[in-house]
Each structure stands twice: as structure tokens, then as C-alpha cells.
Amino acid sequence: AAGVIQSPRHLIKEKRETATLKCYPIPRHDTVYWYQQGPGQDPQFLISFYEKMQSDKGSIPDRFSAQQFSDYHSELNMSSLELGDSALYFCASSLAAEQYFGPGTRLTVT
Amino acid sequence: GIQVEQSPPDLILQEGANSTLRCNFSDSVNNLQWFHQNPWGQLINLFYIPSGTKQNGRLSATTVATERYSLLYISSSQTTDSGVYFCAVEGSGGGADGLTFGKGTHLIIQP
């Protein structure tokens, strides 16, 4: 069965740079979620989109923005990167309540 | 917001042992999921179980929504069961709400 696809899988950036993470949901899923998991932490919800409209907002920094496109893929844009942004970023998708998670993008900020 | 507490935080068992992991949550939920995070960081869906009981092989889960807790049972543990087990819930507020995760149970299965 098709799963959630995230790219890139690994990313290394320097402080103050920008990064763009991409998420391709499971086909026919209309809702996308983004989560951030710091080292040794539990995943924290950032933002979600339903039918290309922002649905819910969690602890997303103002330096981050996201959108969902007409083909339902989503991108998380991160600017002015800080050392504390180093984390595993998950995308999840759903059609009903159950969320299916992608493999994650590991971002390292140096 | 909704609170999620998992216990125990750490658990070390010998291969073949059984275990019970608990998740308490503070409010009514639309969604409750159990995940296994493996050493490579992947979050693997175990159960979607806002209420009732489900079984999948050596794993089973029960959620008693009226008492706001869920239990994950692992029987005949194998070393590949090692990792962190997360319980995550979505409150009943409606919309595409994100999941709130517990702090997890770190399980180590020794050969």
C-alpha cells in the first residue's frame, strides 16, 4: 500500500539559512499534518491543512510557514534557522480520523 | 489542552516476557493511536483505538473511553519490540486537530 512520502530524508543547513520540506500524502487523503520531534522528545504538532486550507495550528514558530497545494502535497518552509530547529520533522495524512505518518525528514542545523 | 500521561516511562524485560503499557488522558477524544518508534526514528502505526479492544498478532490494545485510559499489551516480547511506544490523542473539538503525544514508554527487550 502507498505510504506518506517525505523529502528530503536528511538535510543539513547552517544557522540563518532557509529550508523547505516536502510531503506527499497517501493518495485520496485530504488532510495533512506537520509535527516536530526534538532529540529525546515526543512529537509536537505544528500545523494542519484540510482541502488546501489551514485547519489547525499548534506550536509552529512565526519563522515557519506551510501550505497545501492543489495536488494535496504540502511544503513546510523554515527561515532564519536556529540550532534549536534541529529535529525530526514528520508529515502525516488522513482521510478520516486515523493519521498515517511518513518516515520523517531529519534536519540538522549547524 | 488535553493532557496525556504514559506509564511506565522505562521498562526493561527479558525476551519472552509480557508487558502492559498504560495511557491516561484528561478529556474525551475523537482519536487515540498507539505508535512504535523504532531505533531509526520511524513512527509505526500500531492501533487506531478511540474505544474498544483490538488485537494484531502479539499486540493488543484496549481503550475505556468513559474512564479515559488505554492499555497496550505486548506478549512474548522479542528484541525487535525494543523502542519507544507512544500514545497520542486528538480531542473531540472537531476539525483536523493535531495529535497530542504522551512522553512515551521506552522499552528494552534483552535477549
Side-chain angles (χ1 to χ4, degrees), chain B residues 11 13 16-17 20 27 29 36 41 47 49 51 57 59 65 69 85 89-90 94 96 100 102:
Chain B
L11 189 57
L13 299 171
T20 300
D27 207 343
V29 297
H36 174 213
F47 293 102
I49 188 165
S51 64
L59 274 60
Y69 74 89
Y85 289 79
V89 304
E90 175 190 348
T100 299

Side-chain angles (χ1 to χ4, degrees), chain A:
Chain A
V4 176
I5 297 171
Q6 292 187 246
S7 67
R9 295 292 307 278
H10 302 271
L11 190 59
I12 300 175
K13 291 286 187 178
E14 295 187 342
K15 282 192 306 183
R16 293 179 290 277
E17 285 191 321
T18 61
T20 297
L21 310 185
K22 296 185 178 182
C23 170
Y24 297 86
I26 293 171
R28 291 182 288 111
H29 282 197
D30 53 15
T31 306
V32 167
Y33 310 78
W34 286 97
Y35 294 83
Q36 177 193 57
Q37 185 179 25
Q41 304 295 313
D42 55 287
Q44 296 291 314
F45 169 67
L46 294 179
I47 195 167
S48 63
F49 294 86
Y50 168 68
E51 285 289 347
K52 293 154 279 185
M53 298 290 290
Q54 182 181 309
S55 179
D56 193 20
K57 207 169 182 180
S59 52
I60 185 168
D62 291 341
R63 298 177 291 107
F64 294 7
S65 65
Q67 57 182 324
Q68 186 179 29
F69 294 86
S70 58
D71 63 351
Y72 293 96
H73 94 272
S74 179
E75 295 184 3
L76 178 65
N77 298 293
M78 311 159 70
S79 63
S80 302
L81 287 169
E82 302 173 357
L83 295 178
D85 296 328
S86 295
L88 191 53
Y89 289 83
F90 289 104
C91 171
S93 74
S94 71
L95 180 60
E98 185 174 4
Q99 296 184 27
Y100 297 82
F101 280 69
T105 294
R106 190 172 297 277
L107 173 66
T108 303
V109 181
T110 63

Side-chain angles (χ1 to χ4, degrees), chain B residues 41-99:
Chain B
Q42 289 184 309
L43 274 174
I44 300 164
N45 282 37
L46 297 178
F47 293 102
Y48 164 72
I49 188 165
S51 64
T53 297
K54 291 185 177 180
Q55 181 159 4
N56 184 5
R58 297 181 295 105
L59 274 60
S60 63
T62 294
T63 298
V64 184
T66 53
E67 297 187 23
R68 297 181 184 166
Y69 74 89
S70 183
L71 302 174
L72 177 68
Y73 306 96
I74 304 173
S75 64
S76 305
S77 298
Q78 301 175 358
T79 56
T80 52
D81 294 332
S82 296
V84 182
Y85 289 79
F86 287 107
C87 169
V89 304
E90 175 190 348
S92 56
D97 295 341
L99 293 171

